[in-house]
Amino acid sequence: VIEREALRCNGCGESFTAPAPEGVGTQKYDETVPAMVALFRFGTGMPYARFARFQQNLGVPLPASTMNDLVMQSAEMLEPALEEVMRWAAQGQLIHQDDTVMKLLDRPDLALEGKKDRKGVYTTGLIARHGRNRVALFITGMQHAGENLADLLKRRMADLPKPIQMCDAAAVNTPNKGQALDTIVAHCLAHARRKFVEVVDQFPEECRHLLEVLKEVYKNDAATQDLSPPERLAYHQEHSGPLMKDLEQWLQAQIRDRLVEPNSGLGKAIAYMVKHWQRLTLFLREPGCPLDNNEIERGLKRAIMHRKNSLFYRTQEGARVGDLYMSLIHSAELNGANPFDYLVTLLRHHAFVEENPEEWMPWNYLETLAGLNLPG
């Protein structure tokens, strides 16, 4: 913090301010400040007021209102990067989706078309994969995950094959009126497994059998991490296929032979798995299909952490800005990039980013930056 002495002439009333030390420019906050504030706010869930107290204790006061202004102003320069992330996500081979509840204080309390009774606000999380690269998107509003995914897929090129849509079996993962998306739907095996874990104390033997089978399937999946999608598929078909076939026969026998009460917790868990068996086992038929939706459930913890610490967004614009920063921060993390360095780079070179945003993605921005040959 540099404070320049200011004196006023008693005769003429003119004020004179001491010159700044050599090397200190006129810019009060450089690009690292909004980047760091955004990283604390949307990367770790620290509210502005708490961060302001932290800054006060460091002897570098930074009011919460100033932080908010800096973050909101900087968001405009990051819009081209987010647009490119959304365009790229729409072309993904695999898209994970899920959502969580969110609170928005100042919003028009108008129902969506065809959703007369909808009052809730949700944050949808989407993670798209193409090859080894991944991006994350967070979208807060009154739409559910299926509706947000439908909007995203409008950006998809028509000549691309259908993407794999990984989700659970909830109705909100499809658009309004249950309209199917032009995707290959896979359901989360971990979600189905969790239903058995919840009743394992009441039905230990039956649940143990299923859990042991799935344990072997997950071991097989761990052994395929360095394989290509076709090689991984072949490995699962050879090693996991027989296990899942036997498990399917066991599940059907429990119902057919009336070995379980249909209305019990175990009966409902078995019925869920039998009903969605084809989508739960898509990893045995489709290259690149994961076993579960855990990746986006981990990603949504960022929004949940924000909700628990800050409780709510005040306005829809604030929610949009929060989504922007969460999307860019988590996309950088998914690709092994430094989120702080990534945000600073996008802000410092926003003019270049606006011209060619595809060259400033988390996996190629360092190469692009090196090619600029900037002085210093």
Side-chain angles (χ1 to χ4, degrees), residues 48 158 165 279 346:
Y48 287 139
Q165 175 190 355
R279 291 179 174 181
L346 292 180

Side-chain angles (χ1 to χ4, degrees), residues 53-307:
R53 291 196 298 271
F54 173 73
Q55 287 292 130
Q56 186 69 40
N57 291 336
L58 289 179
V60 186
L62 190 61
S65 59
T66 302
M67 294 184 194
N68 181 69
D69 291 343
L70 290 170
V71 168
M72 298 293 282
Q73 293 165 9
S74 299
E76 297 181 10
M77 294 184 282
L78 297 173
E79 286 288 350
L82 179 65
E83 282 295 313
E84 176 60 21
V85 167
M86 296 181 70
R87 187 203 65 80
W88 192 94
Q91 322 309 319
Q93 299 168 328
L94 165 67
I95 303 177
H96 293 264
Q97 68 169 134
D98 202 355
D99 57 14
T100 186
V101 295
M102 186 54 70
K103 189 170 184 179
L104 189 60
L105 294 186
D106 183 17
R107 63 182 175 87
D109 210 3
L110 301 176
L112 293 178
E113 182 180 353
K115 296 289 183 180
K116 295 181 180 179
D117 299 326
R118 184 179 298 182
K119 299 294 183 181
V121 176
Y122 312 90
T123 293
T124 293
L126 301 169
I127 291 181
R129 177 192 290 270
H130 190 88
R132 294 186 175 274
N133 299 328
R134 294 172 291 172
V135 296
L137 286 172
F138 296 89
I139 306 168
T140 299
M142 297 181 71
Q143 293 196 145
H144 282 295
E147 296 158 336
N148 287 319
L149 180 58
D151 290 342
L152 179 71
L153 291 178
K154 292 176 182 177
R155 301 168 179 250
R156 188 175 181 85
M157 291 186 286
D159 59 341
L160 290 177
K162 295 181 180 181
I164 298 173
Q165 175 190 355
M166 169 52 74
C167 57
D168 57 45
V172 297
N173 291 319
T174 58
N176 290 334
K177 301 179 182 179
Q179 178 186 359
L181 295 171
D182 192 20
T183 59
I184 303 172
V185 181
H187 283 339
C188 175
L189 194 59
H191 190 86
R193 177 186 179 277
R194 195 175 305 131
K195 295 181 181 295
F196 289 86
V197 173
E198 292 171 354
V199 298
V200 69
D201 292 338
Q202 291 77 39
F203 305 93
E205 292 301 323
E206 295 87 345
C207 292
R208 184 178 296 112
H209 173 72
L210 179 135
L211 295 176
E212 288 296 327
V213 172
L214 294 185
K215 178 181 178 181
E216 293 303 315
V217 172
Y218 271 86
K219 282 184 178 179
N220 293 337
D221 194 61
T224 66
Q225 296 304 306
D226 296 327
L227 301 181
S228 67
E231 292 172 337
R232 176 179 175 273
L233 175 62
Y235 188 93
H236 267 303
Q237 288 175 336
E238 179 182 356
H239 296 87
S240 302
L243 294 173
M244 296 302 288
K245 183 177 180 180
D246 291 343
L247 181 60
E248 182 185 16
Q249 294 174 351
W250 179 84
L251 291 169
Q252 291 176 345
Q254 303 303 302
I255 299 175
R256 182 184 64 248
D257 300 338
R258 299 183 179 181
L259 301 176
V260 61
E261 169 59 45
N263 291 327
S264 67
L266 179 61
K268 292 178 180 179
I270 291 176
Y272 176 90
M273 204 160 189
V274 170
K275 179 180 179 181
H276 302 289
W277 185 258
Q278 289 301 309
R279 291 179 174 181
L280 288 169
T281 57
L282 188 67
F283 69 94
L284 295 174
R285 300 183 300 278
E286 193 68 30
C289 180
L291 270 64
D292 54 48
N293 206 26
N294 288 349
E295 186 161 16
I296 191 56
E297 292 191 6
R298 288 191 296 267
L300 270 178
K301 288 181 179 178
R302 186 174 308 284
I304 295 170
M305 182 169 54
H306 168 271
R307 184 182 69 213

